Amino acid sequence: MTSPEKLAIEMGLDIPDFDRDGYYGAGYGTMKPYHRVGSLLFLSGHVAQRGTEITQRGRLGADVTVDQGYQAARRTGVNVLGGIRQAVGSLDRVKGIVRSLNFVVCAPEFEEVNKVSSGLSDLFVEVFGRERGLGGRATIGVMALANGVCFETWVTVEVE
């Protein structure tokens, strides 16, 4: 089995270093970036952001396309990888993605929230392989998220 750390490098993923730069979620309010209970790692919310720049704002079904939403979810997944590294030091310590709870800002008639969340799920499968990277998932359409982001996730990971 190929190392997730090695795969992430080969894929050219721009994974943030939250130990060096700080977890950007602190700018959204009072919270800690993660909490670990035994082998379960609970990550706080992650969004499509690079440093302080939000990469995709708007509402799916209005001014954001499904493809743009998919890319926002994928960028969010890259940030989740940074959160995992911050918490346990290496992506190689991931035993499995347990679940993700995803929020998609969308117009009331938009029904393809599942296609947006696949950007996150697909990235996890690419990095960790299907057995470790494919977890349970729920996606909810919402009216608004902080700072106008169009996608946010809350992920639980099983780690060594």
Side-chain angles (χ1 to χ4, degrees), residues 43-129:
L43 296 172
S44 284
H46 283 276
V47 298
Q49 187 168 320
R50 279 192 176 94
T52 59
E53 179 189 346
I54 295 168
T55 61
Q56 185 63 57
R57 296 176 192 267
R59 187 175 303 282
L60 275 288
D63 50 358
V64 178
T65 67
V66 171
D67 184 59
Q68 289 169 324
Y70 179 96
Q71 293 304 320
R74 188 172 176 89
R75 176 66 220 175
T76 300
V78 171
N79 290 340
V80 168
L81 298 179
I84 293 169
R85 274 187 181 164
Q86 180 185 28
V88 298
S90 172
L91 301 178
D92 294 341
R93 297 193 60 204
V94 170
K95 292 173 87 175
I97 300 296
V98 176
R99 69 177 186 164
S100 67
L101 177 57
N102 306 299
F103 305 92
V104 176
V105 176
C106 59
E109 65 281 353
F110 185 76
E111 297 179 349
E112 296 180 301
V113 293
N114 57 308
K115 292 180 180 179
V116 173
S117 287
S118 288
L120 177 82
S121 300
D122 291 349
L123 177 72
F124 290 161
V125 169
E126 290 171 28
V127 171
F128 298 111

